[in-house]
Amino acid sequence: MKAIRRFTVRTVLPQSLSALDALAANLRWSWHEPTRQLFSEIDPVIWRDIAGDPVALLGAVSPARLAELAVDQAFVQRANALRDDLDRYKREPRWYQSLSGAPKHIAYFSPEFGIAAALPQYSGGLGILAGDHLKSASDLGLPLTGIGLFYRAGYFKQSISGDGWQQEAYPVLDPDGLPLTLTRHPDGAPALVSLALPYGRTLHARIWQVAVGRVTLLLLDTDIPENEESLRSVTDRLYGGGGEHRLLQELLLGIGGVRALRIWTEITGAPQAEVFHTNEGHAGFQGLERISTLITDGLGFAEALQVVRAGTVFTTHTPVPAGIDRFDRGLVQQYFSGDLLPGVDVWEVLALGSETYPGGSHDVFNMAVMGLRLGQHANGVSQLHGDVSRGMFAGLWPGFDQADVPISSVTNGVHAPTWTDPMLLRLAEDKLGTSDTTAAEWDSNAVTDADIWNVKNRMRANLVADARRRITDAWHGENPGASAPAWFDEVLDPDVLTIGFARRVPTYKRLTLMLQDEKRLASLLTSKKRPVQLVIAGKSHPADDEGKRLIQKLVRFAQDPELRRRIVFLPNYDIAMAQVLYPGCDVWLNNPLRPLEACGTSGMKAALNGALNLSILDGWWNEYYDGENGWAIPSADSAGDAAERDELEAESLYDLIENQIAPRFYRRDDRGVPSRWMRSVRHTLATLSPELSADRMVRQYVQQLYIPAGKAAAAISDNDFAGGRELASWKNHVSSSWSGVSVVHVESGGLAPVPQVGDALHVRAQVQLGVLDPADVAVQVVYGTSREGDELQHTSVVELSPLEDDVTDPLAPMTGTIYLDGSKTFAGTVTLERPGSFGYNVRVVPKNQYLANSSEMGLVAVAH
């Protein structure tokens, strides 16, 4: 018989153990090893079975065990000491507090957050990245608040049928059994946000709070009595439902998220947010809610838009247009034609998401396009992805070279305390005197190759044991009451070279590239001299049948009796699995279609644990591969078609494993240590650990994006938003007058017959400005290496200055600055800094103190 309702009954702890409640309520336990160790000692079996969830543990442990611990003075003292340490951690100044001019409050919006397995509100890399961002923000002391949605069924729980097909289940979460606190007004009433919908309906949501160290995460939940039945399911599943359901989720995330943040700051007394960071386009509507508020305060739409843009950071994560949310334009028009956003005209909204560039569709509303138009500060998530993004969105800045599109890059990072195995942490503490593995001196003689190798062997053995347990549990789930096959106990070998592959399963990540030549792969797996084993995991989106077919093909291959001890697919990939899988692998495999991997942080987590990467030069690996930290799979970009490309790249993959990776792994010294392999492991730990850290990433966000955005927002908002009013008027004037701007003539001189490095090139440009003033523009020399087709590469910019006024004959040499046709002369000097081919051109772009980038307005006039 099934229960008609489920709820969680919380344990009442003895008074002496009250510290456990405080420790369990703050998700710092998810990355603080001393706290996790304390909870694990309460009941190691339950702790393992519930995947390290303190709240579930305290609800499952027996009263007798709690009574025993309540009188264990040593345990009580440890618990109290850890609670006091948490209090200090939340209170004491950290890195951010040493900065001057930094924002007092940053709002971080994301549709998913992967913080711990105990709070399954994530589907993959985007959510894990968001969770790691919050954790490092906490460690560094950022005054940051996360905003997301609380999905009652999270993403989905994956199982694999007997024929290898992915099956989805959606267990309903009980918020009372999770580390959540309901946001309440001082009178005790639950705080609600409300959105006016078409046809007189209203969507309400309550606000859950999650303590993530020093950071608060707000999650909006629509499954409440105040909503009609159809609206209670808006936050039912992550990435579930059709177009209108998804739109409702994103309206709630953006508009409702800003309203929830406003309520939370009023209740807590926290300062108002100065910078708003949107993690991908899903939360883009947050800018419209802020515009609506400013219109209510007396600004016009164009003025409010400038104010909002100044303080907004937009991060794009997708390298392909198909990965962007695009809604039916008519549907968006329907929702914004009513009372959803007071003062905001629906046509202004539609213009923000309109694809007004070659190849764009008039019938859709593009969330990423809106995000870029609402955000003055934008970035991709690796250097290569930044370049790909500049190309993908170049249509928004017509006339500019791809390199000038105002999208920068901050390469993703991963939170080292979360993803580094406790055994490696203890090794760093014991041998190197630090628990911070990103700062440890891994190339020091204080730790030997044998020390690290022994830890790697133990981590691999942990993975083997965990994999056997998981496939056994999965068998029992599919075959209740039946005994698991005996060979399950022989799956994988703790002494065999282990290659890991785990991620979401869209087609471009090529889960089955390894199966291109099944006989070749089988020979690698079953080699007597140098065997290889593969541990694979991943989920396909429930609506992606092609991804499911890839999983099925892999699972069926792994079921071959000759191979099943050397290759295994682990169902239900999640944080708990990943924390054992990454450390247990010797090599991490990633073989996407280049350049479709925006970053690929799974390989980062493996590297933090001393695994070597084997990857296509895509995402983060493109900028960090150095020849010693792993292997690069050559990209067959010139292949005739996709099939040939797969064949060539798979062949390279097999060759690398057989001829380079396996020989290096199995070549041992007289101590049984693979010394050449360990040189690469040490190098990886020493050089990649600090670079791949989310602390590095968050520091970059602060210095490159948050501080500039905060200063821009403050400047444009001073004196009753005088800057916003001025900028809106100036932009309108410049845009309407830009057709009158042109470069009439360019001349240069000053060089010897054979130019040399250090010579000065004098440049003059005659520029027609129409009704604009010289102060409205920047006239720039853009110079660099000139290659085939005269395209400039590796460019630099020098701004020319207007010369003193002097009316002259228009046919005379350029000795003055105002001509009879109204044009003006600008002049300056370019120093030749490097040998080789040289080229230059002159362009005119808008110039204003409130612009973050000269290409921001998408206006340019270039000499021809």
Side-chain angles (χ1 to χ4, degrees), residues 121 317 457 463 524-525 554 560 573 599 608 639:
Q121 300 290 302
H317 287 262
N457 285 337
L463 170 58
L524 293 173
L525 297 175
L554 192 286
D560 185 329
Y573 179 45
C599 185
L608 291 185

Side-chain angles (χ1 to χ4, degrees), residues 386-631:
D387 188 56
V388 169
S389 298
R390 287 187 287 275
M392 188 165 72
F393 294 109
L396 295 174
W397 292 273
F400 284 93
D401 292 340
Q402 181 171 319
D404 294 320
V405 171
I407 301 175
S408 65
S409 63
V410 175
T411 301
N412 283 344
V414 296
H415 188 247
T418 294
W419 299 109
T420 305
D421 191 276
M423 285 186 282
L424 197 61
L425 291 174
R426 285 194 289 272
L427 180 65
E429 289 174 340
D430 295 343
K431 299 291 185 176
L432 302 174
T434 178
S435 60
D436 182 358
T437 57
T438 67
E441 296 182 10
W442 289 108
D443 50 5
S444 165
N445 291 331
V447 60
T448 67
D449 285 353
D451 292 331
I452 302 174
W453 178 241
N454 289 335
V455 168
K456 286 298 299 181
N457 285 337
R458 289 158 56 201
M459 294 192 297
R460 192 184 314 109
N462 273 358
L463 170 58
V464 170
D466 189 65
R468 291 173 179 175
R469 180 181 63 83
R470 287 180 181 276
I471 63 172
T472 301
D473 290 346
W475 170 270
H476 289 311
E478 291 292 310
N479 304 274
S483 298
W487 63 266
F488 278 14
D489 293 333
E490 299 172 0
V491 167
L492 305 179
D493 184 327
D495 296 320
V496 166
L497 170 62
T498 303
I499 300 176
F501 183 103
R503 50 189 44 85
R504 290 185 304 108
V505 190
T507 52
Y508 78 87
K509 292 182 183 283
R510 296 194 295 183
L511 169 69
T512 56
L513 183 69
M514 63 184 76
L515 302 183
Q516 186 73 20
D517 184 339
E518 294 185 0
K519 291 183 179 179
R520 183 81 184 275
L521 177 59
S523 70
L524 293 173
L525 297 175
T526 58
S527 169
K528 299 296 184 185
K529 186 178 179 181
R530 293 192 289 255
V532 174
Q533 60 192 14
L534 282 162
V535 185
I536 304 162
K539 292 179 176 180
S540 177
H541 188 280
D544 183 5
D545 282 348
E546 184 56 35
K548 293 180 184 180
R549 278 189 281 272
L550 296 179
I551 292 175
Q552 184 179 50
K553 182 177 181 181
L554 192 286
V555 170
R556 287 178 171 176
F557 176 83
Q559 290 171 341
D560 185 329
E562 299 299 318
L563 305 175
R564 62 193 184 191
R565 291 170 177 79
R566 286 285 182 268
I567 180 170
V568 61
F569 182 89
L570 302 179
N572 205 40
Y573 179 45
D574 65 2
I575 288 175
M577 179 193 295
Q579 288 175 318
V580 180
L581 177 54
Y582 299 133
C585 289
D586 302 294
V587 173
W588 195 258
L589 174 62
N590 189 28
N591 47 232
L593 279 170
R594 189 181 192 271
L596 303 185
E597 183 79 276
C599 185
T601 54
S602 61
M604 294 180 167
K605 302 178 186 91
L608 291 185
N609 289 281
L612 307 183
N613 274 267
L614 170 60
S615 177
I616 294 286
L617 285 172
D618 201 3
W620 73 275
W621 190 236
N622 185 68
E623 65 194 83
Y624 282 111
Y625 167 66
D626 65 8
E628 184 61 42
N629 51 20
W631 296 266

